[in-house]
Amino acid sequence: MKVTVTTALTTATLVFACGLMGTAHAQTQAAAAASQPPAPPPAAVSGPQALLDASPASHWRRLDPQYTLYMDLPQGRVVIELAPSFAPAHVANMQIFAREGYWSGLEIIRAQDNFVVQWGDAGEDLPGEPHKPHGSARSKLRAEFEKSSDWLRDNGHPFVALPDSDGWADEVGFVDGFPAARDKRYGLTWLAHCYGMVGAGRDNAPDSSTGAQLYAVTGQSPRMLDRNITLVGRVVQGMEILSSIKRGPPPMGFYTDKAERTPILSARLAEQLPASERVHLEILRTDSPTFMQLIEMRRNRNDGWTVRPAGHIDLCNVTVPTRTARAQ
Amino acid sequence: MKVTVTTALTTATLVFACGLMGTAHAQTQAAAAASQPPAPPPAAVSGPQALLDASPASHWRRLDPQYTLYMDLPQGRVVIELAPSFAPAHVANMQIFAREGYWSGLEIIRAQDNFVVQWGDAGEDLPGEPHKPHGSARSKLRAEFEKSSDWLRDNGHPFVALPDSDGWADEVGFVDGFPAARDKRYGLTWLAHCYGMVGAGRDNAPDSSTGAQLYAVTGQSPRMLDRNITLVGRVVQGMEILSSIKRGPPPMGFYTDKAERTPILSARLAEQLPASERVHLEILRTDSPTFMQLIEMRRNRNDGWTVRPAGHIDLCNVTVPTRTARAQ
């Protein structure tokens, strides 16, 4: 049992707050209403945001335009970082789909509550709807469920382990910004189905995915899917768009009313757009000391609100900070 | 490491499917498109739905109208089962709020992505907005973060433990349909912050919640809140309404544009409505053999899609089945 008891502290650092009710104070910079306890005095610069603000530029990285997918929806842009180190064949196919405009004009065809949204060609699943040709993309790929841990380490993709226990795997942590898990005995590493992870839909055959039809996790992390389907990347901006899309009918959320599907205006690699039309993001390096300090702040919160810090964090409760890039 | 390897099987039982892409077949009863592997033959009646269909009536229970809260929104009805065995003071206050129509005309004031939606009186947090009086409800309650495990057992609320490990607590399981966790050394049990759980917002003081302002978990289970705030119940119907509400501005999702708030048309106990206007639901008893069999089916999926069953399930990945009640 890792739970430790501490007394509440008087400093409040609420930028990453999980506080409820009183936290509106931090957002509005307003005083508490009369019936509420008075707000604490402004906090010393000691919380997660201060840590990030003080972090060196070398702890951040920019997205690679050839491995960054923009999916533009009527509600705004969803930015997906691809994971070529884990799913090279799927990512290569997805680059072809993007360059050939495959997804443009297709739709979000499924939104199952507390699970996933899924997009692509409705005609792949639903007879009677037109089936869009896949162009130059390969029609058959190998399943890319896991990688050799040694290969990842030897090729510049080290595993940064968390000390926290996990029910699904021997060890969990991060590789290149992606949540991941490992089997020590067999020396295997795989991406983990946390919120915002993007995978390639497949049929019953393990090698039936092509990267044409994709899903993003919008609910409680379905880690039972780990090692059962190929994950290809992670949404780094715009999850609030995907997560708030109206759910389709139960049990699985495929829209039967076509009017409820969300159209994909375009889905292109960042490199296909001029610099002026790109989103310039920086992601905190998950192999940086800042990231580990940040996780420790979440594991043992000292925010003026938490009475009993958990002393633990689950892999999928860790958020990797993203910010707008500073001037180049 | 609990992962075991099995070969894919040929039967498909997809009602609770986590399958992706090919699962549209199950919903549409349609054949696969030409480019996809053929759909498997119709499955033998052997999956989760068949288990539920065959379960005796005694494995199900109905909601108690005095402890069932209906929150009616423009999008539909949200049904919340209250937890008087864990939070008797808060639930008693909430019954007063409901009977006196406190929430009617108030709003959903916050939607933070991958965390919570929160509702109540914006005037409690935001100065310059009117503050609605609390009527006969008590203005000060004790914090109800945890209960004696012995008291729960001796008063007809047994803990049904899962064998699965958990990073946040010694033991996890269910009490009366609610996800819960225990500390063995101190003999304490508490409700767990899984998807759909409802809690009472508080300020920095642990005993500053009254049940007037509430939140529901819409994202990855924020278990770090366990034992830090009073949970009062669980959404048993209508989560897809709360989860798809447009998010408010970061970082905490409190709406600054009042027009984005969702109005609460009414929030009443089931007992306040005539039977003809109630929702008649049955919940699978979490102390029934059927529930344990269902969890085992999820832990080791044999659905024709899963290649590598996890051999594990996290507490918050367990869904408690709900169905429309049969004729009385």
Side-chain angles (χ1 to χ4, degrees):
Chain A
M1 185 62 180
K2 296 174 182 172
V3 173
T4 57
V5 180
T6 71
T7 54
L9 298 168
T10 54
T11 57
T13 54
L14 293 168
V15 171
F16 288 89
C18 64
L20 290 150
M21 193 152 99
T23 53
H25 298 304
Q27 196 163 20
T28 63
Q29 301 292 315
S35 72
Q36 297 298 324
V45 178
S46 61
Q49 188 60 53
L51 174 70
L52 296 179
D53 291 344
S55 62
S58 62
H59 290 192
W60 298 78
R61 65 188 172 84
R62 299 195 179 188
L63 297 173
D64 185 336
Q66 69 178 315
Y67 295 124
T68 304
L69 183 67
Y70 296 155
M71 180 164 68
D72 288 336
L73 304 176
Q75 302 96 316
R77 175 168 288 178
V78 175
V79 180
I80 299 167
E81 180 175 21
L82 303 177
S85 52
F86 282 89
H90 282 77
V91 167
N93 238 27
M94 290 172 65
Q95 289 175 311
I96 294 170
F97 285 126
R99 290 178 184 134
E100 297 185 353
Y102 170 74
W103 289 295
S104 303
L106 294 178
E107 299 161 311
I108 294 178
I109 59 173
R110 176 189 192 189
Q112 180 177 338
D113 194 49
N114 194 20
F115 190 39
V116 297
V117 294
Q118 189 168 338
W119 61 92
D121 183 2
E124 293 212 349
D125 290 299
L126 307 174
E129 303 212 26
H131 180 51
K132 188 166 182 174
H134 284 192
S136 310
R138 292 168 60 196
S139 59
K140 190 81 176 174
L141 302 179
R142 65 182 181 274
E144 297 179 300
F145 296 169
E146 52 200 15
K147 292 288 281 193
S148 153
S149 300
D150 288 349
W151 184 91
L152 288 166
R153 182 199 60 217
D154 295 344
N155 286 273
H157 309 291
F159 188 91
V160 179
L162 298 182
D164 308 272
S165 69
D166 182 79
W168 308 88
D170 291 345
E171 195 170 43
V172 291
F174 287 84
V175 177
D176 297 345
F178 297 102
R182 300 210 280 194
D183 178 312
K184 289 183 174 178
R185 183 173 171 194
Y186 292 100
L188 295 170
T189 302
W190 57 91
L191 295 179
H193 275 83
C194 294
Y195 187 82
M197 289 296 286
V198 175
R202 71 163 172 91
D203 224 310
N204 279 358
D207 59 353
S208 56
S209 58
T210 63
Q213 196 163 115
L214 301 167
Y215 64 92
V217 173
T218 58
Q220 174 69 18
S221 48
R223 298 276 308 279
M224 72 294 288
L225 298 181
D226 291 0
R227 313 176 83 182
N228 279 294
I229 191 162
T230 300
L231 285 167
V232 298
R234 186 174 75 88
V235 175
V236 295
Q237 185 172 293
M239 260 313 290
E240 74 285 359
I241 296 172
L242 295 180
S243 64
S244 62
I245 284 175
K246 189 186 176 199
R247 277 40 171 171
M252 284 182 287
F254 285 94
Y255 298 110
T256 47
D257 177 358
K258 294 182 187 180
E260 291 194 325
R261 296 181 191 153
T262 302
I264 300 171
L265 305 179
S266 69
R268 296 167 293 180
L269 300 170
E271 66 171 20
Q272 294 176 256
L273 278 70
S276 62
E277 294 177 28
R278 296 182 193 170
V279 178
H280 296 281
L281 295 177
E282 287 183 337
I283 315 282
L284 185 65
R285 295 184 65 100
T286 50
D287 58 354
S288 70
T290 298
F291 184 63
M292 283 298 132
Q293 287 177 264
L294 183 70
I295 293 175
E296 179 53 23
M297 284 184 176
R298 305 296 302 266
R299 197 182 278 122
N300 288 297
R301 287 171 191 258
N302 176 358
D303 56 11
W305 187 90
T306 300
V307 177
R308 186 191 292 272
H312 169 85
I313 193 163
D314 267 4
L315 173 68
C316 293
N317 286 111
V318 175
T319 303
V320 181
T322 300
R323 68 183 183 191
T324 302
R326 294 171 183 171
Q328 306 247 0
Chain B
M1 185 62 179
K2 296 175 182 171
V3 173
T4 56
V5 181
T6 70
T7 54
L9 298 168
T10 54
T11 58
T13 53
L14 294 168
V15 171
F16 288 89
C18 65
L20 290 150
M21 194 152 100
T23 52
H25 298 305
Q27 197 162 20
T28 62
Q29 300 292 315
S35 74
Q36 298 298 324
V45 178
S46 61
Q49 189 59 53
L51 174 71
L52 296 179
D53 290 345
S55 63
S58 62
H59 290 194
W60 297 78
R61 64 188 173 84
R62 298 194 181 189
L63 297 172
D64 185 337
Q66 69 178 316
Y67 295 125
T68 304
L69 184 67
Y70 296 156
M71 180 164 68
D72 288 337
L73 304 176
Q75 302 95 315
R77 175 167 288 178
V78 176
V79 180
I80 298 168
E81 180 175 22
L82 302 177
S85 52
F86 282 89
H90 283 75
V91 167
N93 239 25
M94 290 171 65
Q95 289 175 310
I96 295 170
F97 285 126
R99 291 178 184 133
E100 297 186 352
Y102 169 75
W103 289 295
S104 302
L106 295 179
E107 299 161 312
I108 294 179
I109 60 175
R110 176 188 192 190
Q112 180 177 339
D113 194 50
N114 194 18
F115 191 38
V116 297
V117 295
Q118 189 169 338
W119 61 92
D121 183 2
E124 293 212 351
D125 290 300
L126 307 173
E129 304 212 23
H131 180 52
K132 188 165 184 174
H134 284 192
S136 310
R138 292 169 60 197
S139 59
K140 189 81 175 175
L141 303 179
R142 65 181 182 276
E144 297 179 301
F145 296 170
E146 52 201 13
K147 293 288 280 192
S148 154
S149 301
D150 288 349
W151 184 92
L152 288 166
R153 182 199 60 215
D154 295 344
N155 286 274
H157 309 291
F159 188 91
V160 179
L162 298 183
D164 308 271
S165 70
D166 182 78
W168 308 88
D170 291 346
E171 196 169 43
V172 291
F174 288 83
V175 177
D176 297 344
F178 297 102
R182 301 210 279 195
D183 177 313
K184 289 183 174 179
R185 183 172 172 194
Y186 292 100
L188 296 170
T189 303
W190 56 91
L191 295 179
H193 275 83
C194 295
Y195 187 82
M197 289 297 285
V198 176
R202 71 164 172 90
D203 224 310
N204 280 358
D207 59 353
S208 56
S209 58
T210 64
Q213 196 163 115
L214 301 167
Y215 64 91
V217 172
T218 58
Q220 174 69 18
S221 49
R223 297 276 309 278
M224 72 293 290
L225 298 181
D226 290 2
R227 313 175 83 181
N228 279 293
I229 192 161
T230 300
L231 285 168
V232 298
R234 186 173 76 87
V235 176
V236 294
Q237 186 173 292
M239 261 312 291
E240 74 285 357
I241 295 172
L242 296 179
S243 64
S244 61
I245 284 174
K246 189 187 176 197
R247 277 42 172 170
M252 284 182 288
F254 284 94
Y255 298 110
T256 47
D257 177 358
K258 293 182 187 180
E260 291 194 325
R261 296 181 191 153
T262 302
I264 300 171
L265 305 178
S266 70
R268 296 167 293 181
L269 300 170
E271 67 172 19
Q272 294 176 256
L273 278 71
S276 62
E277 294 177 28
R278 295 182 193 171
V279 177
H280 296 281
L281 295 177
E282 287 183 336
I283 316 281
L284 185 65
R285 295 185 65 102
T286 51
D287 58 354
S288 69
T290 299
F291 185 62
M292 283 298 132
Q293 287 178 265
L294 182 70
I295 293 175
E296 178 53 22
M297 283 184 175
R298 305 296 301 266
R299 197 183 278 121
N300 288 298
R301 287 170 191 258
N302 176 358
D303 56 11
W305 187 91
T306 300
V307 178
R308 186 191 292 272
H312 169 86
I313 194 163
D314 267 4
L315 173 68
C316 293
N317 286 109
V318 175
T319 302
V320 181
T322 301
R323 68 183 183 191
T324 301
R326 294 172 184 174
Q328 308 246 358

